[in-house]
Amino acid sequence: MTSQAEPSELPGVTKAGVTKDDEPPLAAPVAEQPPRFTPEGRIGSEGKVLNVFSHGILVIWGLLVTMPLLWAVMSSLKTDKAIFTSPWGLPSALHFDNWSRAWSKSNIGDFFVNTVLVVGCSLIGTMLLGAMAAYVLARFEFPGKRVIYFMFVGGMSFPIILALVPLFFVMKNMSLLNTFHGLILVYIAYSLPFTVFFLTSFFKTLPTSVAEASLIDGASHTRTFFQVMLPMAKPGLISVGIFNFLGQWNQYMLPTVLNTDEDKRVLTQGLVQLAASQQYKGDWSALFAGLVLAMLPVLAAYIVFQRQVQTGLTAGALK
């Protein structure tokens, strides 16, 4: 008997019974690519150098901003003799009586109250009128819309010093000189261009579907604005409100020209008056104390609303 060959011994058949033709072809050997030069190391080193340089610039800038503030605070807690003998040294004792003396005897308290009254009323009026005008320019179409918008934008580039003389005579003819309400109206007009420009761009980023749904439910345009859109624009309102507060609180040129009544002077005028009187009295500790009292509301407002300011400034970029 002729013995049959094992399947594994047949030509073209493997041990598993699969022909060689059915086997998948072997992958062709991949030629080894020569290593290419990548400048990652060089770019990384340059990036680190740039990072260190930028952080160094920020540190220097921070020192330039904070050192005068810290020096003023330290000087407000020293005596007049310590201010001149050791101007850069820490106070040996904390003299808080300098602050009370600046508040009472130098009339800084009266100037502070006048400033709070004027800035508070003007800030409310600026935010209310600016938000209403910006909402209309952002949401409605009507003839002359672009002209009105660019008039507000042009007001930002118009230097206030060019309008001081005609503004003085306009205020005089309207019997608004040396009055709080006249200064409030001027502050509002001075701050409206930037407020409208900022809030118009912010209102455009808000969803229109919410306002449309409110109108479909029967709400009027006024109710939609105050109860729906205005709360949604809270980050933008806080941001522009902080900028307006800083500008109006530190305003010196407008009250100097339009408010010459000594009993109605604001804080910036009071600080200048206090500095001018030092050549006769020499109460430098009270001067620094008054300066610190003028800085505290601004610093407190920014520290409290710092996160809201950053949110409002970046809200338009996140849409």
Side-chain angles (χ1 to χ4, degrees), residues 267-280:
L267 191 57
T268 51
Q269 293 175 289
L271 290 176
V272 173
Q273 177 182 344
L274 181 60
S277 64
Q278 298 309 307
Q279 55 183 330
Y280 304 107

Side-chain angles (χ1 to χ4, degrees), residues 228-247:
V228 178
M229 303 305 293
L230 206 59
M232 294 176 60
K234 182 180 178 180
L237 294 174
I238 293 177
S239 300
V240 73
I242 291 295
F243 287 112
N244 286 331
F245 173 75
L246 295 177

